[in-house]
Amino acid sequence: MNKLHLTAMLVAALAVAGGTLLLSGSAARGLLPAGADVVVSAPCTVPPGDALHPGMVWVPAGAFTMGRAGAYPEEGPPHAAEVTGFWMDQSEVTNAQFAEFVAATGYTTLAERGIDDGAGGTLAGSAVFAPQFVDGQLDPYASWWQFRAGANWREPQGPGSTLDGLDQHPVVHVAYEDALAYAEWKGHSLPTEAQFEYAAQTSVERNDDAFASNTWQGFFPAQDEQLDGHGSTAPVGCYAPNALGLYDLIGNVWEWTASPYYAAHDFSAAADYPEGFDPAQPGEAVAVVKGGSFLCAPNYCMRYRPQARQGQSKGLGTVHTGFRTVLNLPLRSD
């Protein structure tokens, strides 16, 4: 992979933050409206979960309509789907949990190892959100994203940054293989797209008054009001769980699934592209990510919904992509 290919992959893969932007050059990042109060979130906690499977809750079997018409085209067509019962992590995997895995196994993430630069070397790093400003004004022509050398799960903003105070935040800058390695170490799996969407059906999508999930408050990407007290990831458990007892299925970070991505719920290309196919990312193995992130805003992205989906290159981590795991076992074994 050469640097030109990496740049193209970065631009395409980071479309997971995408949507329709209504840009206002006069908006200033971080500018709070007059008289605005910053809402400090309540203490963020997650209950212990099931005694047999700590940190997990049971998701009963069921049928549902998967996908949605009239939103983004990749979300359709809606169709009938069923899932058998399964166990699911109550929250996204945290930095502390991922650190336990690394300590036990010596695992090194893809962002730390680096990817082939096409010239006999490697590029170690990951993608960070870094909109450019000139004289306090957003530069509409500069990329909001950059591949930052040295950025990884331990140093999420690049060399010199740390995880101080972030133990209970979701781990980020994990590529697909990193998430899969953690899941397999636990004896778990990554959820399928259907499992994730089904589990998220009772999640509150967005409510600015109550801050139902960690999404962007303000005019993206220029104005980040941070009215909920979080300008980036939030610790897990800061927002109310859904009816199943699951936290942050909507917002906070996008989450990897085990499902290959195709540009709609039409899998005719699956035989030719078993690792997924996205026309915007030709030649890449692409998996579905679900749930939206802290970068989703009403004027941009709007993917803080159970049916929302995007394709993410398996070979690239980002500052707003994490994961959780599932356990495909019955409710109780005899």
Side-chain angles (χ1 to χ4, degrees):
M1 178 183 294
N2 59 37
K3 291 184 179 180
L4 181 61
H5 185 196
L6 173 63
T7 300
M9 183 180 76
L10 179 64
V11 170
L14 292 171
V16 295
T20 301
L21 175 66
L22 306 175
L23 184 63
S24 171
S26 61
R29 179 173 174 81
L31 178 64
L32 291 173
D37 294 323
V38 174
V39 177
V40 178
S41 298
C44 306
T45 59
V46 176
D50 184 79
L52 183 62
H53 303 294
M56 308 189 89
V57 296
W58 174 249
V59 180
F64 71 110
T65 298
M66 186 173 176
R68 179 175 177 176
Y72 292 108
E74 71 272 5
E75 297 174 21
H79 60 284
E82 296 183 10
V83 296
T84 58
F86 60 96
W87 296 90
M88 189 175 219
D89 288 343
Q90 290 174 276
S91 69
E92 298 139 337
V93 173
T94 65
N95 285 312
Q97 291 170 324
F98 198 78
E100 290 178 3
F101 158 62
V102 170
T105 64
Y107 184 83
T108 305
T109 63
L110 181 60
E112 294 169 291
R113 298 195 307 271
I115 59 177
D116 182 7
D117 66 1
T122 57
L123 291 170
S126 190
V128 299
F129 179 68
Q132 304 299 304
F133 291 80
V134 178
D135 296 329
Q137 305 298 309
L138 179 71
D139 182 350
Y141 303 106
S143 173
W144 304 333
W145 290 89
Q146 62 178 249
F147 183 88
R148 183 167 295 172
N152 57 64
W153 77 276
R154 300 177 191 269
E155 300 174 287
Q157 295 301 322
S161 61
T162 72
L163 294 179
D164 290 349
L166 301 179
D167 281 354
Q168 297 307 309
H169 286 238
V171 64
V172 294
H173 294 304
V174 282
Y176 181 89
E177 65 189 64
D178 305 325
L180 185 62
Y182 175 94
E184 291 176 345
W185 173 70
K186 295 280 288 186
H188 298 179
S189 305
L190 295 178
T192 65
E193 180 181 5
Q195 286 177 322
F196 189 103
E197 188 166 327
Y198 175 71
Q201 289 295 295
T202 62
S203 299
V204 177
E205 296 178 11
R206 184 183 175 92
N207 184 332
D208 285 336
D209 294 331
F211 298 115
S213 57
N214 184 15
T215 57
W216 184 281
Q217 292 103 49
F219 198 89
F220 183 89
Q223 184 186 34
D224 183 4
E225 296 177 354
Q226 301 182 29
L227 297 179
D228 64 352
H230 302 294
S232 182
T233 57
V236 298
C238 288
Y239 301 84
N242 71 5
L244 293 169
L246 296 163
Y247 294 83
D248 298 314
L249 283 168
I250 302 299
N252 216 16
V253 294
W254 286 96
E255 299 185 34
W256 287 109
T257 76
S259 298
Y261 176 84
Y262 303 97
H265 290 299
D266 173 5
F267 306 109
S268 58
D272 293 328
Y273 301 98
E275 291 295 313
F277 178 74
D278 180 2
Q281 304 176 74
E284 294 295 324
V286 188
V288 174
V289 291
K290 297 283 283 184
S293 81
F294 63 88
L295 294 177
C296 282
N299 71 297
Y300 193 78
C301 178
M302 291 189 292
R303 287 184 170 91
Y304 35 72
R305 295 173 289 103
Q307 300 86 359
R309 61 196 297 271
Q310 276 287 349
Q312 173 73 30
S313 169
K314 290 185 176 182
L316 183 68
T318 79
V319 76
H320 69 154
T321 305
F323 71 102
R324 76 182 69 210
T325 71
V326 297
L327 190 56
N328 295 303
L329 292 176
L331 176 60
R332 291 286 183 270
S333 57
D334 295 330

